[in-house]
Amino acid sequence: MSWSTNAASALVRAALIGSAPLAAQGVRPQLGIGGSFAVPTSFYRAVPDAGDGFKPALHGLALVDLKLPKTPIGVRLDVGTGRNSANDSLKSHLSAAVSAPTDAKTNLVGVIADMTYNLRPASVARGYLLAGIGFYKVKFSVTSNRVTVDTSTTKFAWNVGGGLTVGAGAVAWFLEARYLDVGAFSDIKPTVLATTTGIRLGIGGH
């Protein structure tokens, strides 16, 4: 089982175990899952002149969102994971360096703790803003002649964004956009603009 799977499972267990006491205090927990289209930006998309960078890709997101009573402020915990493959320029330069067809990719897995602000007035469709900090594990892998070598580290990360939740019942749909910035690693600076859509499930409180 991967680190991201373990983290997401722990997130679900914590939410389910804590939902009853939280609901008793007026806190409304929601569990969510979504898919993101993550577009690399700046140097992560392409290094100036050389053009080396990474392609857009689908990323995954799991979250627990706690809406505090009598206030638009909330707290959210995200677990994100994704993989971005090298663009043609980077693959070409790597292949030339080792005189063999070569590919590369980055894997991002991390946890972000967000503060959220739910826009008022409350309705079936409600906007929200979010910002938070956390940590991401970054792994860079290179494959050539069926041999893969990789290196990894954990870096500080932050994100900021906003979105829209639609639905007044136990199940709601959400759409959001976030900018994610992860600390530089081995000349790689992961920054992505992610557009995410998914569902939220209320697990306590009304």
Side-chain angles (χ1 to χ4, degrees):
M1 186 177 289
S2 68
W3 185 93
S4 58
T5 302
N6 286 330
S9 297
L11 196 67
V12 172
R13 288 196 298 270
L16 293 176
I17 292 171
S19 62
L22 288 172
Q25 298 174 40
V27 178
R28 295 175 293 160
Q30 287 188 328
L31 183 67
I33 187 169
S36 306
F37 184 64
V39 179
T41 65
S42 190
F43 292 99
Y44 194 46
R45 181 180 65 86
V47 176
D49 299 326
D52 296 348
F54 296 87
K55 299 176 181 179
L58 296 178
H59 288 197
L61 176 71
L63 64 90
V64 171
D65 193 0
L66 304 179
K67 298 184 184 302
L68 306 181
K70 300 179 180 180
T71 175
I73 303 298
V75 180
R76 185 172 121 174
L77 186 65
D78 298 341
V79 175
T81 181
R83 173 186 301 172
N84 292 92
S85 297
N87 64 14
D88 292 340
S89 176
L90 178 54
K91 288 191 288 187
S92 176
H93 289 144
L94 290 173
S95 299
V98 300
S99 300
T102 303
D103 200 357
K105 63 186 177 184
T106 53
N107 285 277
L108 304 175
V109 182
V111 176
I112 297 281
D114 293 306
M115 293 297 294
T116 62
Y117 183 86
N118 297 285
L119 303 177
R120 297 192 174 190
S123 64
V124 174
R126 170 183 282 188
Y128 60 90
L129 305 174
L130 65 85
I133 59 175
F135 294 92
Y136 261 72
K137 180 179 179 182
V138 184
K139 182 167 74 171
F140 178 58
S141 304
V142 177
T143 300
S144 184
N145 289 326
R146 299 183 181 179
V147 176
T148 299
V149 294
D150 59 60
T151 181
S152 64
T153 190
T154 299
K155 290 291 184 177
F156 174 79
W158 61 271
N159 73 182
V160 63
L164 181 70
T165 300
V166 180
V171 179
W173 168 79
F174 74 95
L175 174 68
E176 70 179 35
R178 290 179 301 119
Y179 174 78
L180 172 67
D181 186 297
V182 183
F185 165 59
S186 187
D187 295 327
I188 298 172
K189 172 64 174 172
T191 57
V192 300
L193 182 60
T195 302
T196 306
T197 185
I199 59 171
R200 294 170 179 257
L201 175 65
I203 54 176
H206 298 282

